[in-house]
Amino acid sequence: MKKKIAFIISILLFAFLLWYLFIKPYDYLVSMTYRASAGTINQSVKSWSKAKKNNILLRSKDFFNIEQKWQFNDSVHEYHWKITPVNDSTTKVKVYIKDIANSFKNKLVLPFYSNNFEQRTKRNIFDFNRSITEHISDFKVQVEDSLQQPPSSYCAYIPIQSTQLLKAKGMMRNYPILTGMLADNNVELNGRPFLEITNWNRSKDSISFNFCFPIIKGDSLPQNGLIKYKEFKGQKSLKAVYNGNYITSDRAWYALLSHAQKTGYEVLEAPVEVFYNNPNFGGDELQWTAEIYMPIKQ
């Protein structure tokens, strides 16, 4: 009986070592939990990665899986970020990390002592954790329970194409053009500036949107080939209130998508943002307010 038990243990130990040394696809695993939506984590990983000089490849397998390659001297490290939503406001993150050229060596030594690979990995993950912790404290999103709709209006607008990260920069670049032309021609404003997303490519984080100013419709509106005019019709929508820098107001988009999935609403991925503050005046960014609407399918 003892020989049989010893034989079974030997087989299990051999199978484990075979898996650990030759099959296990990573050398190091880091697990983290954040009070943030999966969309916030997705965008934070990408923003942090793009700011680093060592990052030589970044791609998304899908929304919840991001792959990276890092160059450290003569070593290339692979990072696989796996993002798992727990609920609307909590997300688990696992990072599977592998040194391509030294994976077997790492598996041999890491159980016994910390090498350069582990120390570099810890520094990198610590830096990301610091970055996202600061980011999460820089904004607030409050999703409201009832369906609402943005106000309808006649508006002057400029169509813009950009990435999500450069959305606010696109607005700031066109703000003086739009307001200057309207002011020079005595066009009366009739509400708060807003944008409407006309196309959102989530796989590429690219967007097309109209940057709009509600106006009183007149007979002789200025024409310059850049500014256009239209009737904007507000639709029934899920709504969130965002406080923070408008650069990252798309964090509310993801919160609304999570809320839609939780509540069973089918939505159009065409958010509308209504702005209550002018960033050019500065001030405490947590006091900046935007109302974010995600239209529901009729």
Side-chain angles (χ1 to χ4, degrees):
M1 185 65 179
K2 290 183 178 180
K3 289 183 178 180
K4 185 177 181 180
I5 294 174
F7 177 75
I8 293 173
I9 292 175
S10 298
I11 292 296
L12 292 175
L13 180 60
F14 177 78
F16 171 77
L17 289 175
L18 181 66
W19 171 82
Y20 178 79
L21 292 173
F22 300 103
I23 301 175
K24 181 184 175 186
Y26 58 90
D27 305 340
Y28 202 84
L29 172 63
V30 180
S31 298
M32 301 166 284
T33 301
Y34 295 104
R35 292 283 295 173
S37 69
T40 294
I41 303 298
N42 176 285
Q43 293 298 302
S44 297
V45 170
K46 293 174 181 176
S47 297
W48 173 76
S49 300
K50 290 176 181 177
K52 298 299 177 182
K53 296 179 181 178
N54 306 75
N55 186 32
I56 58 174
L57 176 67
L58 177 69
R59 65 180 182 183
S60 295
K61 293 179 64 177
D62 55 48
F63 185 75
F64 299 106
N65 293 275
I66 300 174
E67 294 181 343
Q68 289 176 287
K69 285 187 179 179
W70 297 78
Q71 180 76 53
F72 297 106
N73 298 322
D74 58 346
S75 298
V76 176
H77 296 181
E78 291 181 335
Y79 282 48
H80 174 197
W81 300 77
K82 185 172 181 60
I83 302 167
T84 305
V86 177
N87 53 44
D88 286 358
S89 59
T90 304
T91 304
K92 287 186 177 180
V93 181
K94 288 187 176 182
V95 193
Y96 301 87
I97 304 160
K98 179 179 181 179
D99 183 340
I100 296 177
N102 301 293
S103 180
F104 185 79
K105 178 181 177 181
N106 285 332
K107 290 174 182 177
L108 287 175
V109 304
L110 284 177
F112 305 104
Y113 70 90
S114 177
N115 61 7
N116 288 335
F117 165 76
E118 182 179 28
Q119 293 167 11
R120 182 178 288 119
T121 296
K122 287 182 176 180
R123 288 195 298 269
N124 233 20
I125 296 300
F126 178 82
D127 185 68
F128 170 75
N129 187 67
R130 175 196 55 77
S131 174
I132 193 171
T133 301
E134 291 177 357
H135 174 55
I136 292 171
S137 68
D138 286 340
F139 72 91
K140 294 185 296 184
V141 176
Q142 181 64 47
V143 177
E144 300 188 358
D145 292 329
S146 60
L147 293 179
Q148 301 187 44
Q149 64 185 58
S152 299
S153 64
Y154 188 78
C155 64
Y157 71 97
I158 295 178
I160 301 171
Q161 293 183 333
S162 76
T163 62
Q164 288 174 226
L165 182 62
L166 297 178
K167 168 175 62 71
K169 187 174 182 179
M171 291 191 295
M172 292 180 67
R173 183 173 61 248
N174 287 279
Y175 182 89
I177 300 173
L178 190 54
T179 56
M181 177 67 72
L182 297 177
D184 290 345
N185 290 272
N186 299 313
V187 177
E188 186 178 354
L189 301 181
N190 190 35
R192 300 184 183 279
F194 67 95
L195 67 80
E196 59 169 341
I197 300 296
T198 56
N199 182 266
W200 180 14
N201 187 326
R202 289 175 61 186
S203 63
K204 296 182 178 180
D205 299 322
S206 64
I207 53 174
S208 299
F209 65 94
N210 296 328
F211 182 37
C212 310
F213 270 76
I215 61 171
I216 300 296
K217 187 176 182 180
D219 296 329
S220 56
L221 295 173
Q223 306 291 331
N224 69 350
L226 179 62
I227 297 177
K228 304 179 184 300
Y229 303 93
K230 62 178 286 187
E231 289 281 356
F232 171 77
K233 299 291 186 181
Q235 301 181 48
K236 283 187 177 180
S237 307
L238 298 175
K239 178 187 174 184
V241 176
Y242 171 87
N243 298 106
N245 194 303
Y246 294 153
I247 291 174
T248 54
S249 56
D250 61 347
R251 305 312 188 244
W253 304 359
Y254 295 109
L256 288 170
L257 290 179
S258 295
H259 185 70
Q261 186 175 32
K262 176 183 176 182
T263 54
Y265 283 107
E266 288 190 75
V267 296
L268 301 171
E269 294 186 2
V272 174
E273 301 189 345
V274 181
F275 304 105
Y276 280 71
N277 299 85
N278 185 339
N280 292 320
F281 294 158
D284 180 3
E285 293 179 355
L286 272 175
Q287 299 302 313
W288 297 2
T289 300
E291 293 177 344
I292 316 297
Y293 299 87
M294 188 72 69
I296 63 170
K297 291 183 179 180
Q298 301 298 313

